[in-house]
């Protein structure tokens, strides 16, 4: 039997990618991400939240409520993505891509680690009761995290086609991670950095941001390889983005919209947040569009998705520094 045709699909294995010539290459894009993630290990339980507890206790009631709303969205969001990525792991096996499967197991683990980090923070600041009320007033949030995200990822279990992979990746990597989480970091920066509070949370956000850049790079890589193989799939990217634009913007504005004009804690500005989020949507589309007409053979080793995320990170750092300037 030819080693390139042996299947590694879950439940149907008749061979091994790792034993086949050239099927698990260390220089492939997903294996490089995997090596990078292993070298950047961090442990949430080693972060000291003592000062965070003191800073949290010193906040006004409104500030505490706003901080909990943001942290609860992150905590429930990390739990959701830990669960919802799992069909993508099996989809990579069905496609015979063991390097991607290896990377996605690390990716799932990292989302679990992010969930642990936010849960430890809530415990440390004394918020051990039911936190559902903090997310339940944000309807678009519920629409994305209890419907759009799980449905588009679960669709891969029945049919791991390129169309379904793109719909799943746009939802997960480009909207939830690339738009919502990044806009959330912007809000954390407003809360923490300008006042020099919550140093433990600042460390968590910095670590998570680095993990997420690898996640988004993988999402860009995955969309790129499908688009490079079939340019008609670009319409799937664009269509899915359009479907999610309204609920995604609703999540962002719903995070801060229940305060009277001019009274939002920490000076969070709805328009500024919405503008920041819209910029991210445009940027995600641009990242995927960069693969249109690209050489499919070169894509598996092409570092462009990583370079894009590093460039975006540099832009974000500049925007955050500007936002923090007095
Ligand atoms: Fe995460
Ligand atoms: Fe992530």
């Amino acid at each position: 039997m030819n080693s390139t045709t042996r299947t590694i699909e879950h439940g149907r294995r008749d061979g091994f990618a790792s034993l086949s010539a050239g099927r698990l290459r260390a220089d492939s894009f997903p294996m490089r991400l995997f090596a990078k993630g292993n070298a950047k290990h961090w442990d949430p339980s080693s972060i000291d939240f003592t000062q965070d507890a003191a800073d949290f206790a010193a906040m006004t009631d409104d500030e505490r409520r706003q901080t909990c709303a943001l942290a609860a969205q992150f905590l429930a969001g990390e739990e959701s993505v830990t669960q919802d990525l799992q069909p993508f792991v099996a989809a990579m096996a069905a496609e015979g891509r063991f390097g991607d499967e290896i990377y996605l197991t690390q990716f799932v683990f990292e989302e679990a680690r992010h969930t642990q980090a936010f849960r430890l923070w809530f415990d440390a600041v004394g918020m051990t009761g039911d936190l559902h009320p903090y997310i339940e007033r944000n309807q678009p949030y519920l629409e994305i995290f209890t419907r759009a995200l799980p449905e588009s990822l679960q669709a891969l279990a029945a049919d791991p086609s390129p169309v379904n992979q793109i719909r799943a990746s746009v939802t997960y990597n480009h909207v939830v991670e690339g738009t919502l989480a990044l806009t959330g970091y912007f809000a954390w920066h407003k809360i923490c950095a300008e006042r020099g509070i919550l140093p433990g949370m600042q460390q968590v956000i910095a670590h998570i941001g680095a993990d997420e850049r690898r996640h988004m790079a993988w999402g860009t890589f995955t969309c790129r390889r499908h688009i490079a193989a079939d340019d008609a799939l670009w319409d799937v990217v664009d269509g899915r983005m359009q479907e999610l634009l309204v609920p995604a913007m609703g999540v962002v504005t719903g995070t801060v919209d229940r305060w009277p004009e001019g009274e939002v804690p920490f000076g969070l500005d709805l328009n500024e947040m919405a503008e920041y989020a819209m910029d991210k949507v445009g940027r995600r589309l641009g990242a995927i569009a960069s693969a249109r007409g690209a050489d499919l053979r070169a894509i598996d080793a092409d570092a462009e998705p990583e370079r894009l995320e590093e460039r975006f990170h540099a832009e974000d750092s500049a925007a955050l520094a500007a936002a923090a300037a007095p």
Side-chain angles (χ1 to χ4, degrees):
M1 186 182 286
N2 183 334
S3 67
T4 59
T5 59
R6 290 181 188 269
T7 186
I8 59 163
E9 188 176 346
H10 291 186
R12 295 188 51 228
R13 177 185 306 123
D14 66 7
F16 304 87
S18 58
L19 298 184
S20 307
R23 272 186 77 180
L24 186 60
R25 294 189 353 253
D27 65 345
S28 67
F29 186 81
M31 289 308 289
R32 286 207 320 267
L33 284 183
F34 185 68
K36 211 172 176 181
N38 282 341
K40 289 195 169 178
H41 188 74
W42 61 282
D43 178 5
S45 61
S46 70
I47 294 177
D48 182 358
F49 293 121
T50 314
Q51 184 60 41
D52 291 55
D55 292 340
F56 187 78
M59 287 178 186
T60 66
D61 287 347
D62 285 353
E63 287 171 346
R64 252 194 305 274
R65 198 143 58 93
Q66 180 63 65
T67 304
C68 285
L70 185 61
Q73 285 191 11
F74 266 94
L75 176 51
E78 300 290 5
E79 175 178 333
S80 305
V81 294
T82 304
Q83 294 193 327
D84 293 342
L85 190 62
Q86 295 178 35
F88 230 141
V89 184
M92 290 301 94
E95 209 186 324
R97 298 184 63 91
F98 192 58
D100 289 84
E101 186 173 8
I102 285 182
Y103 174 62
L104 289 187
T105 61
Q106 182 188 66
F107 189 148
V108 172
F109 155 70
E110 287 172 351
E111 301 299 12
R113 174 166 66 187
H114 301 169
T115 311
Q116 179 200 20
F118 283 103
R119 185 62 251 180
L120 287 173
W121 182 85
F122 270 115
D123 293 345
V125 302
M127 295 296 292
T128 52
D130 183 28
L131 300 170
H132 283 92
Y134 288 110
I135 59 158
E136 278 170 351
R137 64 178 83 220
N138 191 332
Q139 267 309 317
Y141 181 90
L142 295 177
E143 188 180 330
I144 289 199
F145 287 93
T146 67
R147 275 201 36 246
L149 179 70
E151 283 173 11
S152 62
L153 271 292
Q154 282 301 330
L156 294 171
D159 175 14
S161 64
V163 167
N164 281 349
Q165 286 188 35
I166 286 178
R167 285 176 57 83
S169 174
V170 168
T171 310
Y172 191 117
N173 303 116
H174 298 279
V175 172
V176 170
E177 297 184 320
T179 303
L180 300 183
L182 283 187
T183 307
Y185 304 156
F186 183 74
W188 276 121
H189 190 78
K190 284 268 180 184
I191 292 173
C192 301
E194 289 173 37
R195 295 189 181 188
I197 58 170
L198 307 180
M201 179 61 85
Q202 290 191 46
Q203 279 185 59
V204 167
I205 297 296
H207 282 303
I208 288 181
D211 289 348
E212 293 298 332
R213 284 198 290 285
R214 293 190 301 279
H215 300 178
M216 292 181 288
W218 182 83
T220 300
F221 163 77
T222 297
C223 290
R224 277 169 60 92
R225 68 180 178 81
H226 289 306
I227 300 281
D230 179 3
D231 195 63
L233 291 169
W234 170 253
D235 290 342
V236 179
V237 172
D238 202 36
R240 186 56 175 163
M241 207 56 141
Q242 299 307 326
E243 282 169 25
L244 295 173
L245 204 53
V246 170
M249 293 309 286
V251 172
V252 172
T253 56
T255 309
V256 289
D257 75 358
R258 63 200 144 82
W259 306 99
E261 177 90 20
E263 291 176 34
V264 185
F266 306 106
L268 292 172
D269 180 331
L270 198 57
N271 292 330
E272 193 182 30
M273 297 254 297
E275 209 175 289
Y276 191 84
M278 272 312 290
D279 176 63
K280 303 297 160 271
V281 169
R283 201 163 78 169
R284 303 319 310 174
L285 283 171
I288 305 171
S290 69
R292 299 190 77 175
D295 179 0
L296 184 57
R297 285 162 306 175
I299 269 189
D300 222 36
D302 185 2
E304 179 62 13
E306 275 175 289
R307 280 196 296 270
L308 269 174
E309 298 308 329
E310 293 305 327
R311 196 149 68 231
F312 292 161
H313 175 54
E315 285 171 24
D316 282 339
S317 301
L320 293 178

